[in-house]
Structure formats: structure tokens, C-alpha cells
Amino acid sequence: MLKSRNILITGATDGLGFELAKAYASRGHRVVATGRQLLTNDLDFFGSPNIAYIRADQSEPEAAARAIAQAMEKFEWGSIDLAILNAATGWTGHPADETPEQIDHQIAINLTAPVLIAKAIAPLLFAAQGQLAMIGSTAANGQAQFATYAATKAGLEGFVRSLREEWRNKTHVQIIHPGPTRTKMHAKAGLKTGMVRMFFMSTKRAVRAIQRSIRNRDGKRVLSRAYGWSSIFSSAKEGEL
Amino acid sequence: MKALVTGAANGLGRAMTDQLLDAGHEVWAVDRDTDALDALAIKSRGSCRVILADLANPSSVQRLMRDVKDVKFDLVILNAGISATGRFEEIPGAAYEKLIAINLTAPLVMASGLMRQDNMSSKSQMVFISSLSHAVGYPGASVYAATKDGLAIYAKSVRKPFKKRGVGVTAVFPGPIRTEHAERYSPKGSKANKRMLPEDMAKLVLKAAAKGKKELYAGKGAGAAKFFGKLAPNMMSKMMRKVIFDKLDSNTY
């Protein structure tokens, strides 16, 4: 039996966050999952008694960070071993057509909220000498069709690069950049992927690859196809996350 | 030529505004510093239109966009920026929200708004002032670094789609400049003479914009920082920690 750890995962009602929450919970870890939905029954939704859900709408970054901090108190978590800040939203189209509201909404959810959440949980991460994993995107290198989304993900990368050095010996800070994955992200952002979707990484494989990168305590990891494939053979050993 | 400069009242923005005015151009100067704007208006005898705006406030940005609705700019320099330095976890959340609003949200909203409103002339240039931190990281100012990386990648992302509409995009990565801004956020006792004069930096930026350059790394040691930042990013972040974060004795925001 592995040691049970405290794990926080944001954006966990769907896609990578949902699968990550279930994967960690299935190994006996305690998970607090966040999302903006109102769930009537956590157990039915996640199918695991190890997952507790709290509502934290990151379009209001301050309120979301506060909700998470309050939940930590409520669940009497004195420490967090691992926080995966995964929640994100996107908009796709010509950059001249992005309205102020769309720009503001993406920056709030993808950048401001993770920054404020990281700040809110810092004492708990320090208490465990824990690990903070940000989910970025390969779009962080620049993308004409989702310029603001790319900017927010690049922002996370800049944040992580600087904070990793600042928090050395207190909490390991890393960023993991998934490429296109077969989640609902693209459809939600208004992008039709069509046949190309076949070539995307499966959610299952991306979830394995993310867990592997977290175990390896990478600084920055791009989820390449090769890394995805080779992650099939990687699993948690005794005492690992 | 018609130019718009944000953060025009002080520092690098002021130096660029002065040089544009001296060269006989019309400048729309945006800032929140009323006194400095007044001085600019009086000194320029009307060739400088001043616009009072607080870029941290979305409705102020909207008003600014309405004010310039009918102008065709040949040059837009999105320069305004603030910082927050110290221990990440000790600085209030509100300071980070303001920092992100001014350094990232406002320039993105303005860039896309100016394109949508057809504010850019058919052969114009849009300049984004990022930071040399894009190359080296910035322990002690991780959220500032985040906004400047975001700005750099936004500029890269929109370069092609904007170019198709006749608007060139320049991203500038200035090293330390000898301004009040730098003075305020730097460790005490750091040497001011190691920083470039704002007038010199302004000249380089305006030249790069006139030539339609995609990128400009400028300032003392900028070339080396870019090179080593690409080659050994972790080593550079460690070095930045030593020269900046370890010496910061207070939080400034």
C-alpha cells in the first residue's frame, strides 16, 4: 500500500483534470477536485470516495483562490503534497476578433487564478515540501489562431521558470505542456478539429505521461508523442506519487 | 506620422514620446500621471495629444479606445508596465491582479481593438515592450515575468495575421534601463550606471520599429543574456536569483 497523499487538482470535472483525479484516487490518495459546475453528488460523479469536490469558478480568480483555501481548512489539510493547476479555457479565431471580454476571461482563468491559487496554498505546499505542477500547452510557443490562449500559457511558463528558482528547497515547481489531446477543449474553444483529431494524443496516454513527469520532478516537460508512448511503461512505485 | 504611446509620461515611454515629437510627428500620449501629461502637453505646444487613462481599469481602456476611434496610426507602442518584486507568497493578490491587468490584459485588448476598429494605417507598425526577463527568468518578480512572457508570445502569435492586414509587429526585450521604474523595483545598492539611459533605449526601439524588425534585444548584456538564456535557461535563472532575488530585502508593489 502506498502512502496516502493530499492532492489538489483544479479543472477536474472534465478532460485531463477529471482523469488525473480518478487516477490518483484509485491509488489511495486523497484528492480535492475543483471545477465551476455545481455537483449534487460527488461520489456519483467521480465514482471514488477519495475525491472531494469544491466549486471554484476561476473567472473570479480572487474568489476561486479563497474558496480553495477555505476548503483546505474545512477538510483540515495541514499540507498539500501535490497541486496540479490544470483548469483552463480557450477561444479560437482571428486575434482582431477577440473581444475585451474574451481576452479578460481567458487571462483570469488561465493565468491570474493559478497565480492567486499558488499564493493561497503556498504555506500548505511548504509544510509538505510539496510539488506544484502547472498544466501549460504547446501553444505557449505562439499560435495565430489562439493568440490570447497562447499568451496565458506562455505567462504560466514565465511564472514557473521564475518561481521554481525562488521556491528552491521549499516546493518543486514545474510546468507540463500537453500537445493536442482528445479532450473536449477544442470543441469548447470553438475549433472544429475533424479528421485531424485522430492524430491527437489520447486522454488516457496524456494522463499517464503527466503522472510520469510529476514523479520525475521535471522542471519543464513537453508531452511529445515519444514521451506519451514510453509513458505506457511507467507506473508509481512504493512511496511514489 | 501619427503615433500612440502608452506609459508615455515617464521613463522609456517619455523618451520615445520626446524623440517622436522632436522629429515632428504627432503623438497620442497615454498615461495615468496627470502632472507629467500636463507638462508634456505644454512643452509640445499641441503636437502631443494627452489621454488620461488608467490601464488597470477596463472601462478606462474602453474610453481610451473610443477617444482614438477615428485616428489612423502609423506607429503604436504598447509600453506601459508596472512590476511587483519580493517574495511571491508575501505580495497581496490585488497587486498581482493590477500587474496582470496593466502589463498583459490592457495591451492585448488595445492591440486587438485597434485592429478591429481599423485604427492602423495600411503600412504601420505595432510595438510590444516585453522584457529581457523573457530570456532569463526573473526570480523575485515571477508574475511580472509571466506578463512579459505572455506579451512576447502574443506578439509572436499575431505577427502573421496582423501582417496580412498591413501591420508589422515588433517585440522588444529591453535590459535594465536607468528609470524610476527600475530604481523602485531593484535591490538597494545595485549600480545605476550598469543600466542603459532611456534616451538610448528609445532610439534603438524607434529605429527597430522604423525598419519593421520582428525582435529587438537591447541594453547592457542583452545579447549575452539571450544567448545563454536559450543555451542554459536553468543556469541563467539561478544566476538571476543570485543577482536579484537573494538581494531583495523588501517587497515592492
Side-chain angles (χ1 to χ4, degrees):
Chain A
M1 185 65 195
L2 299 174
K3 189 181 164 226
S4 176
R5 314 280 185 97
N6 292 342
I7 302 175
L8 168 73
I9 303 174
T10 66
T13 53
D14 205 351
L16 294 174
F18 181 69
E19 297 298 336
L20 281 166
K22 293 215 296 189
Y24 283 112
S26 73
R27 295 210 294 276
H29 298 302
R30 289 176 295 267
V31 177
V32 167
T34 81
R36 61 188 163 155
Q37 292 182 36
L38 257 177
L39 297 184
T40 44
N41 191 329
D42 303 5
L43 191 59
D44 278 356
F45 188 85
F46 290 104
S48 167
N50 292 344
I51 303 175
Y53 176 79
I54 58 152
R55 193 162 177 264
D57 182 350
Q58 294 191 191
S59 64
E60 300 285 343
E62 230 283 306
R66 208 176 329 118
I68 289 170
Q70 282 166 356
M72 298 293 114
E73 269 181 39
K74 190 182 122 196
F75 297 128
E76 294 179 343
W77 277 19
S79 64
I80 296 177
D81 297 286
L82 169 65
I84 306 176
L85 304 191
N86 157 78
T89 187
W91 180 88
T92 160
H94 194 286
D97 297 330
E98 260 184 315
T99 63
E101 292 72 27
Q102 277 150 348
I103 291 171
D104 192 52
H105 189 64
Q106 290 174 82
I107 291 176
I109 291 171
N110 301 0
L111 184 61
T112 314
V115 162
L116 296 189
I117 293 167
K119 180 179 138 61
I121 62 172
L124 301 180
L125 285 168
F126 293 169
Q129 288 224 0
Q131 205 167 334
L132 173 63
M134 295 283 185
I135 303 299
S137 161
T138 48
N141 290 324
Q143 271 289 345
Q145 287 301 304
F146 9 94
T148 298
Y149 178 77
T152 61
K153 293 300 191 178
L156 280 184
E157 159 122 18
F159 176 63
V160 163
R161 205 152 41 115
S162 304
L163 192 65
R164 179 164 57 236
E165 203 47 58
E166 211 182 300
W167 277 9
R168 189 167 290 279
N169 304 324
K170 289 185 186 166
T171 281
H172 179 67
V173 187
Q174 66 179 144
I175 187 153
I176 300 168
H177 294 297
T181 310
R182 271 177 242 152
T183 63
K184 290 179 197 146
M185 185 91 188
H186 302 89
K188 282 184 191 168
L191 189 71
K192 289 193 181 67
T193 47
M195 293 288 281
V196 187
R197 196 173 166 81
M198 276 170 54
F199 300 101
F200 289 4
M201 193 184 281
S202 73
T203 308
K204 204 174 155 193
R205 189 165 302 148
V207 164
R208 289 197 78 106
I210 289 169
Q211 292 176 75
R212 177 187 176 197
S213 175
I214 286 170
R215 274 198 296 279
N216 289 352
R217 298 173 73 86
D218 295 328
K220 171 183 170 176
R221 167 62 63 187
V222 176
L223 298 190
S224 66
R225 203 153 285 274
Y227 190 83
W229 277 106
S230 59
S231 298
I232 299 171
F233 307 108
S234 173
S235 55
K237 289 184 205 69
E238 185 77 36
E240 279 186 334
L241 271 165
Chain B
M1 190 172 83
K2 289 176 178 166
L4 176 99
V5 182
T6 67
N10 297 293
L12 175 62
R14 178 60 189 266
M16 292 187 292
T17 303
D18 283 341
Q19 286 174 23
L20 286 165
L21 290 169
D22 288 346
H25 303 299
E26 274 182 272
V27 181
W28 277 252
V30 180
D31 210 290
R32 59 175 172 179
D33 183 340
T34 324
D35 295 343
L37 280 182
D38 280 347
L40 202 51
I42 294 163
K43 193 192 143 224
S44 73
R45 293 185 190 141
S47 55
C48 186
R49 325 280 175 91
V50 298
I51 301 176
L52 186 67
D54 175 10
L55 300 184
N57 180 349
S59 58
S60 186
V61 176
Q62 287 315 304
R63 205 174 315 122
L64 155 67
M65 294 302 294
R66 275 200 303 275
D67 286 350
V68 299
K69 193 166 69 6
D70 302 317
V71 191
K72 283 269 189 200
F73 294 110
D74 304 289
L75 175 65
V76 167
I77 305 178
L78 301 169
N79 159 78
I82 61 167
S83 191
T85 53
R87 285 176 191 277
F88 165 71
E89 62 277 15
E90 289 176 2
I91 292 168
Y96 288 140
E97 291 188 287
K98 189 174 165 192
L99 175 58
I100 292 170
I102 293 175
N103 289 19
L104 191 61
T105 313
L108 266 53
V109 165
M110 286 186 68
S112 69
L114 288 166
M115 295 299 290
R116 194 165 50 248
Q117 286 189 168
D118 208 14
N119 271 129
M120 303 298 289
S121 74
S122 58
K123 261 192 169 180
S124 55
Q125 198 72 17
M126 196 180 279
V127 181
F128 294 87
I129 307 292
S130 178
S131 162
L132 193 57
S133 70
H134 182 51
V136 296
Y138 197 164
S142 50
V143 182
Y144 172 84
T147 62
K148 293 301 185 180
D149 272 16
L151 204 54
I153 293 303
Y154 183 80
K156 192 178 166 193
S157 299
V158 300
R159 186 166 284 126
K160 261 191 198 155
F162 283 12
K163 190 78 210 169
K164 276 191 189 154
R165 299 187 184 183
V167 183
V169 170
T170 306
V172 182
F173 307 96
I177 314 176
R178 213 183 299 175
T179 59
E180 271 174 49
H181 169 99
E183 201 74 49
R184 187 165 133 77
Y185 296 111
S186 303
K188 284 192 186 64
S190 57
K191 292 190 187 96
N193 60 9
K194 280 195 179 164
R195 302 188 201 120
M196 196 182 227
L197 287 170
E199 303 88 87
D200 296 337
M201 184 67 76
K203 250 181 233 159
L204 294 174
V205 175
L206 293 177
K207 204 170 131 194
K211 282 187 174 170
K213 276 182 75 170
K214 288 181 183 169
E215 287 185 345
L216 170 69
Y217 282 84
K220 296 238 163 85
K226 184 195 174 192
F227 179 76
F228 288 110
K230 285 236 167 86
L231 198 73
N234 293 337
M235 190 195 80
M236 284 307 283
S237 300
K238 245 178 228 162
M239 194 204 78
M240 285 291 282
R241 178 188 169 127
K242 278 204 185 112
V243 299
I244 299 174
F245 181 65
D246 289 347
K247 288 183 186 159
L248 286 169
D249 48 9
S250 61
N251 301 327
T252 313
Y253 46 86

